[in-house]
Amino acid sequence: MRSSKKMQDQMAGHETTGQGTMEPEVAVGSEVEPINEMSPAQAELEQVKGERDQLLDRLARLQAEFDNARKREAKERADSRDYTVSNTVEPFLGVMDNFQLALKANGTAAQLRSGVELILKQMEDALKGLNVQAVETVGTQFDPRIHEALGSIETKEFPDHQVLEEIRRGYRIREKLLRPALVRIAANPNQVAD
């Protein structure tokens, strides 16, 4: 009976092992076909998912590059600002040193005045190095674009609206006005103002 059971199992393609379990018999040279074949819709879905993953990766890289470029630009701007400030301030450090020496000096009023005049000259040279120039005032005609009149002096010796006195010096950098000069102008009653 046992041998007939064994024969049936062999005919059915199963073989018994010594432990009583049965394993399928595989024919030599036969190919095993994949159990799960992808449908065209599933293949297309997988392709779209792959493209999506590539695009997301590319987007993440571009965002990282943009952030790095933004940080680099901000650092370069800060470095440029610091460089400009240091180049602007550096000529005035000597002026400050001279003011401190003048305050420590125990000289006469004439010596102090002479020292302050030298410091003022040094300051003017530092401003010229930065292309900052004083606005012309005394002896010129009043120009509301560069002068601000604080009052007038009645006189018959000078033409009407001529700048007679500078109260505060005005400055410009190249052609741009930094601040207007505060002046007093002539008021000549014998001349008619234009």
Side-chain angles (χ1 to χ4, degrees):
M1 190 157 169
R2 205 169 204 197
S3 60
S4 67
K5 170 100 171 128
K6 191 174 183 183
M7 275 180 149
Q8 288 175 346
D9 288 342
Q10 283 178 353
M11 289 171 74
H14 293 84
E15 197 172 321
T16 59
T17 60
Q19 298 167 340
T21 58
M22 299 174 25
E23 295 180 8
E25 192 176 277
V26 178
V28 178
S30 68
E31 291 185 25
V32 179
E33 291 187 25
I35 298 171
N36 293 333
E37 283 189 20
M38 283 191 170
S39 68
Q42 287 176 326
E44 187 177 341
L45 179 63
E46 289 300 317
Q47 180 183 359
V48 169
K49 283 182 180 180
E51 289 174 4
R52 180 204 61 197
D53 292 344
Q54 288 176 349
L55 289 173
L56 288 174
D57 183 56
R58 185 173 177 209
L59 177 63
R61 290 177 190 272
L62 287 173
Q63 283 177 329
E65 285 178 25
F66 178 75
D67 287 343
N68 290 340
R70 186 176 46 81
K71 289 174 186 175
R72 185 173 49 250
E73 188 271 334
K75 183 183 181 321
E76 288 172 359
R77 191 174 346 125
D79 290 347
S80 176
R81 183 177 49 246
D82 291 346
Y83 178 77
T84 302
V85 168
S86 68
N87 282 345
T88 303
V89 169
E90 196 246 336
F92 295 100
L93 296 178
V95 174
M96 287 183 61
D97 293 340
N98 288 334
F99 271 122
Q100 290 172 348
L101 289 173
L103 287 173
K104 292 178 185 177
N106 292 328
T108 64
Q111 290 173 329
L112 183 60
R113 180 175 179 84
S114 174
V116 170
E117 286 173 352
L118 289 173
I119 294 171
L120 182 60
K121 172 77 170 104
Q122 186 182 15
M123 183 76 119
E124 288 171 348
D125 290 343
L127 287 173
K128 281 182 187 174
L130 297 171
N131 294 317
V132 176
Q133 299 168 344
V135 172
E136 295 179 19
T137 55
V138 178
T140 62
Q141 271 306 105
F142 176 76
D143 183 352
R145 294 174 297 174
I146 59 172
H147 301 132
E148 187 175 323
L150 286 182
S152 61
I153 301 171
E154 196 168 313
T155 180
K156 293 182 182 178
E157 298 175 25
F158 298 99
D160 199 38
H161 291 101
Q162 181 176 333
V163 177
L164 298 179
E165 182 183 353
E166 179 183 78
I167 298 167
R168 183 188 76 193
R169 188 170 283 179
Y171 291 95
R172 73 170 106 205
I173 183 165
R174 292 184 178 89
E175 298 302 315
K176 182 182 177 191
L177 186 67
L178 293 174
R179 75 172 189 192
L182 298 179
V183 297
R184 286 200 179 94
I185 59 174
N188 191 335
N190 295 339
Q191 292 182 343
V192 178
D194 293 315

